[in-house]
Amino acid sequence: MDTKKDDIILSIRGMSKSFGRNRVLDHISLEVKKGIVMGLMGENGAGKSTMMKCLFGIYHMDEGDITLDGREISFSGPKDALENGVAMVHQELNQCLDRSVVDNLFLGRYPTKGGAIDEGRMKKEAAELFRALGMTVNLTQPMRKMSVSARQMCEIAKAISYNSKIIVLDEPTSSLTEPEVKKLFKIMRQLTSQGISLIYISHKMDEIFEICDEVSVLRDGEMVMTKSVKDTSFNELIAAMVGRSLENRFPPVDNCPGKPVFRVEHLSTKFAPYLQDISFEVNEGEIFGLYGLVGAGRSELLETIFGVRTRASGRIYYKDHLMNFNSAKEAMEHGFAMITEERKANGMFAKGDLTFNTTIANLNRYMSGVMLSDPKMRRATEDEIRIMHTKCMGPDDLISGLSGGNQQKVIFGKWLERSPEVFMMDEPTRGIDVGAKYEIYELIIQMAKQGKTIIVVSSEMPEILGITNRIGVMSNGQLSGIVNTKDTDQEELLRLSAKYL
């Protein structure tokens, strides 16, 4: 590295934070050099989010100090951090969806001219920013009409517009496909070439080795490793994260699919984004993957099967019984379950505790006479916490206080409580660490071995190839092909995903 990149832009020394008797961070130290990508890894609950909240002034540190560009700082909040050149792009995007791209970009700092908002200047500066980043964006389009990936790119552009010295990216590729990831990495390299430093929080090993210069690992609130990426390995990172080595990234997919039990015939939807004439079968005890670019219709297909989107035509059968559901309640009553992609929007009750979120989909099971039994609900929640290895204090914890990955475990446990026959999962391991992912994969395979029908949507190419028996590829609302997992590769999946573009 040259002299410029050897300069330290951010130094965290002795950062500690406790909540009651629970010590979440224990004398954490981290140095970030100018113009590099520093990877930050750790299991869910390791302390990554708490560390970032202390940096941004959301939490007050118990001990430690932070130096930015040679100056000791203590931010009063995210706005203060932004104005001093430290920005963060969150995994769960917090945007004004009914406002335009330009409005979101200048929210809280509108330029004025003669006492009125200077919209001309806003559009000019926004256009110049996106042009410099090589991004094509409709500046007047409401954010709600944009894909998650496009909204994420806008959030990165907003961070850059503050002339940031450091940008923290929290799981930025969790909703992106391979081509979109490549585009993001191109922008990241462009930023580091300009001397901007990036802290890249991710659970995806492949990406850490591709884009990061250095990597630090948190485990149980302690910084256990910091190394140059070229001096470490996949196995060493996993061992640092989980305290043990994982011999394989995926467990053996040793389920034995039986005869066809689930059938979709000529399914089309009534409203955009449209699905067109989709037909496929899934066997008993099979793990059937769905792959495709963002916007290809994967999530829409699951939602239509589950009864939350309106069919225009087509039929759905399970064990030769017609299953054209008109609501999620109807689907659940017939043994169907679905994990959604956007857990905060429609997968959980943020103001509820773990007991409420675990039992809400299966209340009839916890009745005692005509009343709900708190002890039964609590026991069920404790069972799922144990099975899913959820990091929490107990069933009374608010789900909003958990890390993203642990929230996903609670959602997974909620559906497991129903013992579904057909389990549809939209990005089930999004934001989950490598150790917990392995446990989720084992659960999925075990369910398939019990004869359950599993349909999994994933944007992660290694994952879709690592845990499925067959893969259906979506392209622009159509099913472009079905392949046997053991006979295919990434190149064929990408080719099929572009078939109808």
Side-chain angles (χ1 to χ4, degrees):
M1 289 188 185
D2 58 34
T3 306
K4 181 182 176 183
K5 290 196 174 186
D6 285 336
D7 293 339
I8 304 301
I9 183 69
L10 176 71
S11 177
I12 296 172
R13 291 187 298 270
M15 180 187 284
S16 295
K17 180 65 182 175
S18 297
F19 296 99
R21 290 173 296 171
N22 184 24
R23 198 170 183 84
V24 182
L25 296 178
D26 190 3
H27 293 93
I28 297 295
S29 293
L30 177 72
E31 289 186 338
V32 182
K33 298 168 187 166
K34 289 181 182 177
I36 74 160
V37 182
M38 166 63 83
L40 183 60
M41 303 194 78
E43 287 193 281
N44 296 119
K48 301 187 301 296
S49 295
T50 303
M51 183 181 176
M52 290 302 112
K53 286 177 179 176
C54 287
L55 170 62
F56 281 85
I58 298 169
Y59 291 158
H60 179 72
M61 294 184 295
D62 299 333
E63 298 177 69
D65 56 72
I66 302 170
T67 304
L68 177 67
D69 207 7
R71 180 172 57 93
E72 192 168 319
I73 51 96
S74 178
F75 299 132
S76 59
K79 187 173 186 291
D80 187 21
L82 265 174
E83 290 170 351
N84 282 276
V86 182
M88 183 166 181
V89 178
H90 296 270
Q91 180 185 355
E92 308 288 351
L93 300 174
N94 294 309
Q95 296 166 319
C96 299
L97 298 182
D98 292 318
R99 304 301 294 268
S100 70
V101 173
V102 173
D103 279 338
N104 275 272
L105 198 62
F106 287 93
L107 204 60
R109 49 173 182 152
Y110 289 119
T112 58
K113 186 177 182 181
I117 293 173
D118 190 347
E119 293 191 11
R121 180 182 161 190
M122 285 165 58
K123 288 178 181 177
K124 182 175 179 290
E125 290 183 7
E128 288 173 354
L129 174 64
F130 286 115
R131 193 180 304 115
L133 292 171
M135 296 163 58
T136 304
V137 178
N138 181 349
L139 298 177
T140 59
Q141 183 179 23
M143 299 293 283
R144 189 178 298 282
K145 293 186 177 180
M146 302 174 73
S147 67
V148 174
S149 59
R151 286 168 48 204
Q152 196 167 48
M153 292 298 189
C154 290
E155 201 68 7
I156 292 169
K158 182 176 180 178
I160 295 164
S161 73
Y162 275 87
N163 296 317
S164 301
K165 299 171 186 175
I166 292 180
I167 300 175
V168 180
L169 300 173
D170 185 8
E171 296 285 350
T173 64
S174 58
S175 297
L176 306 187
T177 58
E178 295 285 323
E180 289 166 330
V181 170
K182 283 182 170 53
K183 185 174 181 181
L184 172 64
F185 284 0
K186 184 180 178 183
I187 290 173
M188 288 173 66
R189 291 187 183 101
Q190 183 181 333
L191 294 176
T192 54
S193 71
Q194 296 167 8
I196 296 171
S197 301
L198 304 172
I199 297 177
Y200 190 80
I201 302 173
S202 180
H203 293 304
K204 298 180 182 180
M205 294 285 183
D206 295 342
E207 295 178 0
I208 292 293
F209 284 101
E210 182 177 348
I211 195 64
C212 295
D213 300 293
E214 297 182 5
V215 59
S216 291
V217 179
L218 272 171
R219 184 173 77 232
D220 298 329
E222 295 184 12
M223 192 68 78
V224 295
M225 186 181 114
T226 296
K227 275 193 173 184
S228 170
V229 166
K230 67 177 185 292
D231 294 333
T232 188
S233 66
F234 178 86
N235 287 336
E236 185 180 23
L237 276 181
I238 291 177
M241 285 173 64
V242 302
R244 66 187 192 280
S245 62
L246 286 178
E247 296 303 318
N248 297 299
R249 193 166 175 183
F250 302 98
V253 183
D254 55 358
N255 58 314
C256 299
K259 62 183 180 180
V261 289
F262 179 81
R263 193 166 77 251
V264 173
E265 294 182 349
H266 307 293
L267 186 68
S268 299
T269 53
K270 199 167 187 179
F271 303 107
Y274 298 106
L275 301 178
Q276 303 172 52
D277 195 30
I278 292 175
S279 298
F280 65 95
E281 287 183 336
V282 184
N283 301 316
E284 185 175 25
E286 180 178 29
I287 305 169
F288 186 81
L290 281 173
Y291 183 75
L293 305 179
V294 170
R298 301 165 306 169
S299 301
E300 289 77 13
L301 176 56
L302 295 195
E303 290 168 357
T304 305
I305 292 169
F306 203 60
V308 295
R309 279 188 178 267
T310 306
R311 280 175 294 101
S313 60
R315 295 187 173 192
I316 299 159
Y317 294 92
Y318 180 65
K319 293 185 176 178
D320 293 325
H321 295 290
L322 187 64
M323 297 283 172
N324 281 359
F325 303 128
N326 292 309
S327 68
K329 182 174 183 290
E330 196 179 334
M332 289 163 60
E333 288 170 351
H334 285 82
F336 282 61
M338 188 175 93
I339 290 177
T340 61
E341 180 184 8
E342 293 286 341
R343 59 174 167 259
K344 283 196 173 179
N346 47 31
M348 69 185 203
F349 292 88
K351 294 183 179 179
D353 61 17
L354 302 197
T355 300
F356 183 87
N357 276 278
T358 300
T359 58
I360 187 63
N362 205 24
L363 292 177
N364 290 338
R365 183 175 170 179
Y366 315 112
M367 299 298 290
S368 182
V370 295
M371 300 288 288
L372 278 170
S373 167
D374 285 337
K376 284 183 180 180
M377 294 166 72
R378 191 177 181 86
R379 277 196 301 272
T381 305
E382 288 170 344
D383 287 345
E384 292 302 337
I385 288 171
R386 188 180 66 256
I387 291 167
M388 300 305 299
H389 301 284
T390 307
K391 288 191 178 179
C392 61
M393 300 297 287
D396 298 329
D397 281 9
L398 289 178
I399 194 170
S400 57
L402 270 57
S403 65
N406 282 301
Q407 290 174 354
Q408 189 79 328
K409 289 181 182 181
V410 175
I411 294 165
F412 210 101
K414 170 183 71 177
W415 290 115
L416 287 179
E417 277 293 295
R418 291 190 62 85
S419 301
E421 292 299 316
V422 178
F423 202 160
M424 300 185 294
M425 308 173 187
D426 195 350
E427 307 285 2
T429 65
R430 180 184 175 195
I432 293 181
D433 62 74
V434 65
K437 276 186 178 183
Y438 196 91
E439 294 164 1
I440 295 282
Y441 298 149
E442 287 182 315
L443 276 169
I444 291 172
I445 293 165
Q446 188 58 40
M447 290 177 72
K449 289 165 89 167
Q450 293 168 2
K452 310 295 186 186
T453 301
I454 313 290
I455 303 175
V456 180
V457 167
S458 179
S459 298
E460 290 190 42
M461 191 84 78
E463 180 173 89
I464 207 79
L465 289 167
I467 60 159
T468 60
N469 302 114
R470 290 185 303 143
I471 303 167
V473 183
M474 298 289 292
S475 178
N476 197 24
Q478 300 177 65
L479 190 63
S480 58
I482 297 175
V483 294
N484 289 319
T485 303
K486 62 182 180 182
D487 299 326
T488 192
D489 55 25
Q490 294 193 17
E491 187 179 331
E492 183 175 23
L493 294 186
L494 285 172
R495 188 171 65 250
L496 286 169
S497 66
K499 185 175 179 179
Y500 296 120
L501 297 181

